Amino acid sequence: MSFSQILGQERAKRFLAQVMAREKIPHAYLFTGISGIGKTTTAMALTMALNCRELVKGDSCGHCISCRQIRNGNFPDFVSIKPQGQNIKIHQIRDLNHDLSFAPVSGSYRVIVLHQAETMTAEAANALLKTLEEPPPGNILILKATEPLNLLSTIVSRCQRIPFQPLPMDDMTYWLVRQKGVDSEIAAVLARISGGSLGRALKMCDGNFFDKRQEWLQMLIRLPGLTTEKALEMALECAQEDGQTGPQPSETGKAGLMDMLAVWETWYRDMLLVRVDGDKHLMINVDFSHQLKKIAGTLKIQNLISSILAVDQSQRDLRNMRNTKLVMEHAVLGLRRLAEQVR
């Protein structure tokens, strides 16, 4: 993966190119931004460029032995550290510090990527801090995190921060159509609902997300006409959705309960957009635009706002490990009540 192959992130790529041209490589970077927008691929592109034996205009050639090893995942000087369970633990950082005492095996630089750096335990973070204060030569650390506020300020201050932005919707749509052969309408929906994360859009595309999304939106369309008994049955069905119910929507491609609530939130957001005559280009569920316009015209603006807040509260309750069945019963009955209160 060379810099030229990375979609978007022009500012990040430009900055790294300038750093390499000056031949003054910072020993630690902090890549921030949501998942799936190019942080890992940029780290790999930087590794390739730093170790490439036949640079082409400041970018890797893609053909030399180092480039081929990195691309195939067997370059000994590209190290990836991920959380074990919920956290990056102290022994992982101690092992890293031990390895850093040796020179790179085959390249000019060893690059170490710490994924989800914000999950480091306090002990691990303090152990890494010592390494950042006195970095061994020939080593570059790249910390990946969603938000720098989740890291120790002393760690952030010792890294060169490079923010990564969500990808433009039009660019993602074009890429999905041209590179993956996705239908243009589906590509537009994936680009919008993924929040600018190409990685998440690809997992949605390759998994069962899109089919499940159709089911979930049809549930909301039917909800106002259900009896209380049928609404409770629907809540139970929702609670039994497969996939994770953790703090983030599923990144595995297998759609789950948190994904469903995220989709529901976009539905009420879109209806609110329609009710206030907002910019149509901001609509997420563009393939349901006809139903959205028809339903939104019958609902009160305040009820749509309350519906968004109700879904958001359900997401928070699930993150706090509340009883899934009770959370969904409360959410579904509340949304049904709000949908029945027409203008």
Side-chain angles (χ1 to χ4, degrees):
M1 175 62 72
S2 63
F3 288 123
S4 60
Q5 294 174 301
I6 297 171
L7 180 64
Q9 309 306 341
E10 299 304 324
R11 290 184 63 185
K13 291 187 290 186
R14 223 172 16 247
F15 175 81
L16 291 172
Q18 292 169 357
V19 167
M20 291 182 59
R22 292 196 302 266
E23 297 184 354
K24 293 183 179 179
I25 314 297
H27 64 271
Y29 294 93
L30 173 59
F31 289 3
T32 59
I34 62 174
S35 65
I37 57 176
K39 299 193 297 295
T40 299
T41 49
T42 301
M44 292 181 65
L46 178 62
T47 306
M48 288 179 70
L50 289 172
N51 291 287
C52 181
R53 302 181 185 187
E54 301 177 28
L55 279 175
V56 180
K57 296 181 179 179
D59 205 351
S60 57
C61 68
H63 306 296
C64 70
I65 184 170
S66 295
C67 287
R68 292 199 308 271
Q69 285 180 326
I70 295 169
R71 191 170 58 243
N72 295 330
N74 54 13
F75 185 64
D77 294 317
F78 183 78
V79 181
S80 184
I81 298 176
K82 298 181 180 180
Q84 290 185 351
Q86 297 294 319
N87 301 103
I88 294 176
K89 299 180 170 60
I90 178 65
H91 74 84
Q92 293 176 272
I93 302 302
R94 285 174 177 164
D95 290 344
L96 169 63
N97 290 341
H98 176 265
D99 293 341
L100 294 183
S101 63
F102 299 96
V105 177
S106 64
S108 301
Y109 290 91
R110 178 192 289 118
V111 177
I112 304 95
V113 180
L114 275 74
H115 301 267
Q116 295 178 258
E118 66 269 29
T119 67
M120 282 188 290
T121 63
E123 296 82 2
N126 286 320
L128 180 67
L129 185 58
K130 295 178 182 178
T131 301
L132 294 176
E133 290 171 346
E134 300 177 9
N139 294 284
I140 295 176
L141 285 90
I142 298 177
L143 282 64
K144 289 174 47 188
T146 303
E147 282 287 346
L149 294 175
N150 296 328
L151 289 164
L152 291 176
S153 59
T154 44
I155 285 181
V156 175
S157 66
R158 286 165 173 76
C159 298
Q160 174 65 61
R161 183 187 170 197
I162 301 181
F164 285 68
Q165 304 300 326
L167 298 170
M169 303 302 166
D170 290 344
D171 291 353
M172 282 184 60
T173 302
Y174 180 80
W175 191 94
L176 288 168
V177 172
R178 289 295 299 272
Q179 300 296 325
K180 293 288 289 182
V182 179
D183 175 81
S184 58
E185 188 176 73
I186 293 176
V189 173
L190 289 172
R192 286 169 169 78
I193 208 164
S194 65
S197 168
L198 181 61
R200 188 162 185 242
L202 288 171
K203 287 169 183 173
M204 290 175 180
C205 183
D206 294 336
N208 69 337
F209 177 88
F210 206 80
D211 291 338
K212 294 296 293 185
R213 168 183 163 274
Q214 302 284 330
E215 296 178 17
W216 296 333
L217 293 182
Q218 290 296 339
M219 284 181 176
L220 290 186
I221 292 172
R222 297 193 309 267
L223 181 59
L226 297 181
T227 64
T228 301
E229 183 181 1
K230 290 295 182 181
L232 289 172
E233 289 178 6
M234 175 181 153
L236 180 59
E237 180 184 348
C238 292
Q240 293 173 340
E241 285 287 350
D242 290 330
Q244 70 175 26
T245 57
Q248 298 294 333
S250 174
E251 297 291 344
T252 63
K254 185 177 183 181
L257 182 54
M258 290 298 284
D259 294 285
M260 185 196 74
L261 291 173
V263 168
W264 282 8
E265 195 163 11
T266 68
W267 176 257
Y268 291 112
R269 173 196 172 279
D270 281 349
M271 282 206 288
L272 183 60
L273 186 72
V274 171
R275 277 288 285 114
V276 299
D277 295 322
D279 188 345
K280 295 178 182 178
H281 291 94
L282 297 176
M283 184 179 290
I284 293 175
N285 300 289
V286 290
D287 51 337
F288 278 80
S289 58
H290 177 72
Q291 293 98 318
L292 282 164
K293 292 175 183 177
K294 182 178 179 181
I295 298 171
T298 67
L299 299 176
K300 301 175 183 177
I301 291 177
Q302 184 56 52
N303 283 19
L304 292 173
I305 295 173
S306 297
S307 296
I308 294 172
L309 295 175
V311 175
D312 182 67
Q313 182 62 53
S314 299
Q315 291 171 314
R316 288 202 300 271
D317 288 342
L318 289 176
R319 291 187 190 108
N320 293 328
M321 301 301 181
R322 303 284 174 83
N323 184 294
T324 304
K325 182 180 176 182
L326 291 178
V327 169
M328 293 313 303
E329 285 180 356
H330 181 75
V332 168
L333 292 178
L335 293 172
R336 173 175 166 269
R337 176 179 53 79
L338 290 167
E340 289 177 335
Q341 299 173 9
V342 296
R343 293 169 65 187

